Amino acid sequence: ERIDDSYMAGTGMMWDSGNGSLMLGGIITSPPALLVDTNINTKRGLVIRGSSDQSSNLFEVRDNDGSISGLYFDSKGDLHGASAVGRGSAHFFAGAGAGQDAITALDATFIGKDAGKKSNNSEYSVAIGRSAGAASSGVEYGIFMGDQAGMLVNGPSAASLNNSSIAIGRQSAQQASGIAGSNFIGYQAGFVAENVTNTNALGYQAAYDSELTDKSDFIGYQAGYRASDADSSYLGYQAGRDAHAEATIGIGYQSASQS
């Protein structure tokens, strides 16, 4: 629409079409601001419209060296986190320190304060929560949700293993190492688990310190807490807590807790 009037006042400028206005600088507020006003309370906002052959971003935040340093909207209007140097090519990040010093975090998503902050070789992963996956290493396709979930987790040393793992809950799998294809759900579930593969742990501190465990299930409070097991299933309060067995089933209070 044609602009009918414009003027400067102090350090600001204003364009007024009669039906709407655009204000830049300190005319209305201090520090300087951008205000778009349509004079209709229900129709206020800023719309950036690209052309049919648009290739450049519609909106972006740049550092003082000219590189994109924050969130940006691409030519189609999709929101992205900048794949800037120091973010490990993370696909999206939000929160103070999220992905800040990540290394090789291709297509990863970090949301929350310090989420994925120093993540290393944790590609195609998701970390949501304060310090979730903050220093995770070698866990591709991992999902960490919760305060400090997977904070210091390490993937398996053997590249042939499927290292996709999920940790949901405060401090779940926080210091786990060598985990692959496993799921830890609950407060401190799999907290310091080591070399645990293809295993499920559900409950408060389930599989907390489990070691050399494969194809097993632990469900319940501290179920499989310090188990070293294979092809086994335990259900109940401290079921299979210190189990060291194979092909075992334990159901109930402290069942097979020292098998």
Side-chain angles (χ1 to χ4, degrees):
E1 187 173 335
R2 182 173 61 87
I3 295 177
D4 297 321
D5 189 24
S6 65
Y7 61 87
M8 299 182 64
T11 59
M13 295 187 68
M14 176 177 179
W15 293 267
D16 192 350
S17 68
N19 294 321
S21 59
L22 173 63
M23 304 175 191
L24 296 173
I27 297 177
I28 303 298
T29 62
S30 182
L34 167 63
L35 174 64
V36 180
D37 190 350
T38 62
N39 294 335
I40 303 176
N41 290 337
T42 59
K43 295 183 179 180
R44 291 181 174 177
L46 176 63
V47 177
I48 302 176
R49 181 177 180 180
S51 61
S52 59
D53 58 350
Q54 181 86 9
S55 59
S56 59
N57 295 330
L58 295 177
F59 177 84
E60 58 191 30
V61 178
R62 292 181 174 270
D63 206 342
N64 56 12
D65 62 359
S67 62
I68 298 177
S69 60
L71 300 178
Y72 69 90
F73 291 90
D74 65 16
S75 60
K76 296 181 180 179
D78 292 331
L79 177 63
H80 297 266
S83 298
V85 175
R87 301 282 183 172
S89 295
H91 174 68
F92 182 87
F93 54 87
Q100 182 173 313
D101 300 311
I103 300 174
T104 313
L106 183 64
D107 289 339
T109 298
F110 304 126
I111 300 176
K113 184 180 184 298
D114 293 335
K117 183 175 183 177
K118 295 184 178 181
S119 180
N120 185 9
N121 291 321
S122 294
E123 302 175 340
Y124 318 111
S125 295
V126 176
I128 301 176
R130 184 179 71 95
S131 295
S136 59
S137 177
V139 186
E140 297 179 345
Y141 302 100
I143 298 176
F144 309 111
M145 298 177 64
D147 179 51
Q148 298 180 3
M151 182 176 174
L152 302 170
V153 68
N154 285 294
S157 57
S160 60
L161 289 175
N162 171 17
N163 53 13
S164 303
S165 291
I166 296 174
I168 299 176
R170 184 169 183 266
Q171 295 182 345
S172 56
Q174 191 205 59
Q175 299 175 38
S177 62
I179 63 172
S182 297
N183 303 306
F184 304 97
I185 301 175
Y187 173 74
Q188 290 188 341
F191 185 79
V192 289
E194 184 176 356
N195 296 323
V196 174
T197 56
N198 308 307
T199 291
N200 299 306
L202 171 62
Y204 181 101
Q205 293 184 335
Y208 179 96
D209 190 19
S210 182
E211 182 178 1
L212 296 173
T213 297
D214 182 47
K215 300 183 184 69
S216 294
D217 301 298
F218 306 106
I219 301 175
Y221 177 92
Q222 292 187 342
Y225 183 91
R226 199 176 288 111
S228 178
D229 222 298
D231 304 307
S232 298
S233 297
Y234 302 95
L235 171 64
Y237 179 96
Q238 293 184 340
R241 189 181 193 279
D242 296 294
H244 300 280
E246 293 186 7
T248 300
I249 295 177
I251 301 176
Y253 176 87
Q254 294 185 340
S255 58
S257 60
Q258 294 182 348
S259 60

